[in-house]
Amino acid sequence: MSTKDNPSESGRRNFFKLAAAGSLGALMASTPLKKVLAQVQDPEKPATNIADALKIPKTETSMPGKFPGKVVKVFDAQSVVEDKPVKTAAYQMLSDAMLQLTGAATLSEAWLMFVQPHEKIGLKLNPIGGKLLSSSHEVVQSVIEQLLEAGIPKENIVLWDRREFQLHEAGFTADAYPGIAITGTEKKDADGSYYNKEGKLYSEEMIDKDWFYFADVDGEYDDYTLPYMVNAGKYSYFTKILTQDLDKIINIPILKNAGSSITLCLKNLGYGVITNTGRLHAKLWGDTSAEVCCFPPVRDKVVLNVVDGLRGCYQGGPGANPQYICNYNTLLVGTDAVAVDRIGYDIVLKKRIEEGIQQEDSPRGRQFMEYAAQLGLGEADIEKIDLVEVIK
Amino acid sequence: MKNTLILFLFLFAGNCFAQQPFVLRDDVLPDITSVNTRLFDKDGLWGYINGGADLYLEYGFEQVTVFDIKAGGIDYKADVYRMASPEAAFGIFSISRFKCQESARITPDDCLTPYQYIAAKGNFYFSISNSSGSPEAQVHLLAIAGNLLEQIENLSIEKPSLFNYEMLGPHLSGLKYISGQLGMQNGFVRWEPLFQQSKNYTAWIMPVKQDGSIFYVALVDFSDSADMETFMQKNGLTASNGLNQVVGNKIYTLFIKQNNRLVLTEGVIPESLRDYLEKF
């Protein structure tokens, strides 16, 4: 992909120009931005460079995308049999969702609203839960098949996540996906080493230091942990996979809880595309999920979210704790990551209440979505979300 | 696999500090085809369980030994977490225990479900899982667990005597130990708002279902009186021993004890329990 073709280039230049300018100037005239910046300037929170990201003008592909506030929820009780997702059901659920979301006459037409054959398209998966609870092969294969049917060449499809080896562990291998590239920011070689012959982390080659998320929280790691974090300090760098290699992203998280909150679209992106995340969980968990998505490489490239809720969990997430894994038999699709998260939140909450994990909603669980909405990433108000439900 | 797998992983059992070689018998399961062992210490936990690490670190984590076992076409994983104290190990267990098919099968604090066996014994928290959920795999979970647990000295945790009261005793299987915000978020969301601004506390919390209603009893230790006062102030509670206090739509009762200790209840408690808590 040439520089000219790289949609992030203009954003990158603006980022530096505006970041250097320092003053918020005329931008403060905008009331929503005022509100946002008031939140950013919360003295209780460590400072971040979110204000710089917000200064970069949005593009026509920016989040919340083509269908703000719209979410399609497809439920099929037969989509999981004996705790195993059913491929034919997943394919059909995805088809239904795409047609409902877009209003297109054909499936190909629906997909081509978001991606084009000449573009490199990344499917951002979530393999953290290993074989037990990762983005399912049935849903991922369905997305790939429908992209191929829409005329996207196989060589333009990339499966990716932070950790390449976790993709492999979850079964996303070259053998299982012939002709599809599989990659990650954090890599090991065939001998299991994170370091090349020069003693440099392979992952260092994968990060783009022109794009960074600054937060005034120091990350310090020992030699063992560093390969998982790539760098220490107060900067988190974006992966080149996102900033340079890919044109469009289809985000495929899995329906999981994180305490009384959730880890879906925003979290899969926020923590999945940058380095040095260990430092962010304690003080900036929700903020990071929202703020990282405001940076153009994420904001302008993520065109679709497909939440794999065939199987998911309602407690013990984001790891895979088997006793809490359940069959939601659900697929959520939308361009608005915040709205999709908000619908997913209610599904997980309902299950948690049914199972006696909690008795009522805990508003703190929704805070990061509300913050993301304030940042202009999408709709968090349940009353304003256009939810289309398909029950098969 | 012909040879006994002797893994020279030196685990400190409980508080005895005796180094013990950790042994996984080769006949622990039939048809073992591979065993892979990994060790992660405090700094390495992030690499192993990513964001999940914070919860363990909050309780007080020292090291985890991970066995990845393949046997009979089924994947098993055994995680042995060495925590900083028996309370920390029990704490993780207490907030992880859920819908146990069987309890106290191998050790008093354990829980068996189709996919997982968890237990707390001494300073150790065990999580042993399988990918199948079949009855056969469940038997194998117990076999692995039995082999691992027998190597640890039996230092069972002493739970606060408050909960030995005859009305509370039958509910001990629901007792939770929480020592911070993440524990509260994961183990007792109900009280997350109550404790969200508190630091440096530990709480033993017991839900009690009785006669169709539910109430909660907790023993909370604060590190100093200022923390305790701040907790009460932030939640609109007063130091009125044994009296119902209505905050929002909830009823709380406080019993202030010595050494920055608080007995806290939520819900309508029986009078006999009120008397007991007052005298405790």
Side-chain angles (χ1 to χ4, degrees), chain A residues 82-83 128 131-132 162-163 166 169 220-222 224-225 228-229 257-260 267 277-279 281-282 311 314-318 320-324 352 354-360 362-364, chain B residues 38-52 54 56 70 75 95-99 113 115-116 118 125 127 129-132 181 185-190 192-193 196 214 216 249-250:
Chain A
E82 292 179 352
D83 292 341
I128 289 174
K131 285 180 180 165
L132 276 177
R162 247 174 86 173
R163 295 177 181 165
Q166 285 188 336
E169 286 164 12
E220 292 178 28
Y221 310 109
D222 66 358
Y224 185 88
T225 309
Y228 297 98
M229 294 295 147
N257 83 297
S260 59
K267 173 85 185 323
T277 55
R279 70 200 173 104
H281 277 76
R311 279 170 65 69
Y314 55 92
Q315 173 74 329
N321 286 283
Q323 76 268 37
Y324 301 122
R352 286 170 65 81
E354 276 173 12
E355 296 288 347
I357 299 289
Q358 67 188 87
Q359 285 74 40
E360 58 192 2
S362 171
R364 279 164 58 85
Chain B
R38 295 174 283 165
L39 202 62
F40 302 89
D41 61 14
K42 196 179 279 184
D43 297 317
L45 191 61
W46 258 96
Y48 177 47
I49 54 174
N50 214 325
D54 283 335
Y56 289 84
K70 277 190 187 296
D75 294 327
I95 65 166
S96 306
R97 170 175 50 190
F98 186 67
K99 289 193 174 174
T113 60
Y115 286 92
Q116 193 172 24
I118 61 172
Y125 168 66
S127 164
S129 58
N130 74 84
S131 59
S132 143
Q181 189 185 356
Q185 279 175 13
N186 283 275
F188 205 65
V189 181
R190 183 181 188 85
E192 188 191 356
Q196 67 182 0
I214 187 164
Y216 307 90
N249 59 355
K250 291 173 179 159

Side-chain angles (χ1 to χ4, degrees), chain B residues 15-50:
Chain B
N15 293 321
C16 72
F17 303 105
Q19 287 185 332
Q20 298 179 352
F22 202 39
V23 181
L24 190 63
R25 286 200 324 268
D26 66 341
D27 62 348
V28 67
L29 299 185
D31 304 323
I32 288 186
T33 51
S34 70
V35 176
N36 180 41
T37 309
R38 295 174 283 165
L39 202 62
F40 302 89
D41 61 14
K42 196 179 279 184
D43 297 317
L45 191 61
W46 258 96
Y48 177 47
I49 54 174
N50 214 325

Side-chain angles (χ1 to χ4, degrees), chain B residues 215-277:
Chain B
F215 59 87
Y216 307 90
V217 181
L219 186 64
V220 187
D221 286 299
F222 293 92
S223 59
D224 57 45
S225 58
D227 283 341
M228 189 165 85
E229 280 163 24
T230 303
F231 168 80
M232 292 195 291
Q233 210 171 37
K234 298 260 182 193
N235 289 298
L237 298 167
T238 58
S240 51
N241 258 356
L243 297 178
N244 285 350
Q245 302 186 45
V246 180
V247 179
N249 59 355
K250 291 173 179 159
I251 298 170
Y252 297 101
T253 311
L254 263 62
F255 302 87
I256 296 171
K257 307 295 177 185
Q258 289 182 331
N259 302 321
N260 310 312
R261 172 171 272 197
L262 204 62
V263 174
L264 170 69
T265 69
E266 185 198 326
V268 179
I269 57 170
E271 283 308 310
S272 58
L273 179 62
R274 190 186 305 271
D275 292 343
Y276 168 73
L277 296 177

Side-chain angles (χ1 to χ4, degrees), chain A residues 48-76:
Chain A
T48 72
N49 63 338
I50 179 61
D52 293 332
L54 293 175
K55 292 171 198 168
I56 303 169
K58 284 189 169 185
T59 70
E60 62 176 11
T61 62
S62 293
M63 292 166 72
K66 284 187 187 294
F67 300 98
K70 183 173 183 179
V71 180
V72 182
K73 175 183 173 186
V74 185
F75 175 86
D76 181 352

Side-chain angles (χ1 to χ4, degrees), chain B residues 5-225:
Chain B
L5 296 165
I6 299 177
L7 304 164
F8 293 96
L9 304 171
F10 298 104
L11 300 181
F12 296 87
N15 293 321
C16 72
F17 303 105
Q19 287 185 332
Q20 298 179 352
F22 202 39
V23 181
L24 190 63
R25 286 200 324 268
D26 66 341
D27 62 348
V28 67
L29 299 185
D31 304 323
I32 288 186
T33 51
S34 70
V35 176
N36 180 41
T37 309
R38 295 174 283 165
L39 202 62
F40 302 89
D41 61 14
K42 196 179 279 184
D43 297 317
L45 191 61
W46 258 96
Y48 177 47
I49 54 174
N50 214 325
D54 283 335
L55 178 66
Y56 289 84
L57 294 169
E58 179 181 277
Y59 270 107
F61 164 83
E62 292 182 350
Q63 192 176 67
V64 60
T65 307
V66 181
F67 294 93
D68 298 298
I69 305 156
K70 277 190 187 296
I74 298 174
D75 294 327
Y76 299 88
K77 190 153 81 76
D79 293 342
V80 183
Y81 290 86
R82 193 179 80 212
M83 305 298 290
S85 66
E87 287 81 6
F90 177 79
I92 291 282
F93 167 77
S94 72
I95 65 166
S96 306
R97 170 175 50 190
F98 186 67
K99 289 193 174 174
C100 310
Q101 277 186 346
E102 290 182 60
S103 295
R105 178 76 186 248
I106 299 176
T107 194
D109 295 314
D110 72 6
C111 170
L112 179 67
T113 60
Y115 286 92
Q116 193 172 24
Y117 169 88
I118 61 172
K121 186 178 179 188
N123 281 25
F124 295 89
Y125 168 66
F126 296 82
S127 164
I128 302 158
S129 58
N130 74 84
S131 59
S132 143
S134 68
E136 184 193 13
Q138 208 173 14
V139 170
H140 292 167
L141 289 184
L142 290 170
I144 297 168
N147 188 200
L148 295 173
L149 266 79
E150 72 188 6
Q151 297 167 52
I152 293 165
E153 225 173 88
N154 192 10
L155 296 169
S156 59
I157 181 165
E158 200 169 312
K159 287 145 197 163
S161 59
L162 174 85
F163 300 101
N164 293 338
Y165 181 57
E166 58 180 0
M167 185 187 292
L168 305 180
H171 303 278
L172 271 172
S173 63
L175 184 65
K176 295 172 192 295
Y177 176 77
I178 288 169
S179 63
Q181 189 185 356
L182 292 173
M184 200 62 82
Q185 279 175 13
N186 283 275
F188 205 65
V189 181
R190 183 181 188 85
W191 280 5
E192 188 191 356
L194 211 57
F195 282 87
Q196 67 182 0
Q197 297 189 57
S198 296
K199 288 175 184 166
N200 307 318
Y201 69 89
T202 61
W204 294 86
I205 305 173
M206 176 184 275
V208 181
K209 285 182 186 168
Q210 191 171 272
D211 303 329
S213 62
I214 187 164
F215 59 87
Y216 307 90
V217 181
L219 186 64
V220 187
D221 286 299
F222 293 92
S223 59
D224 57 45
S225 58

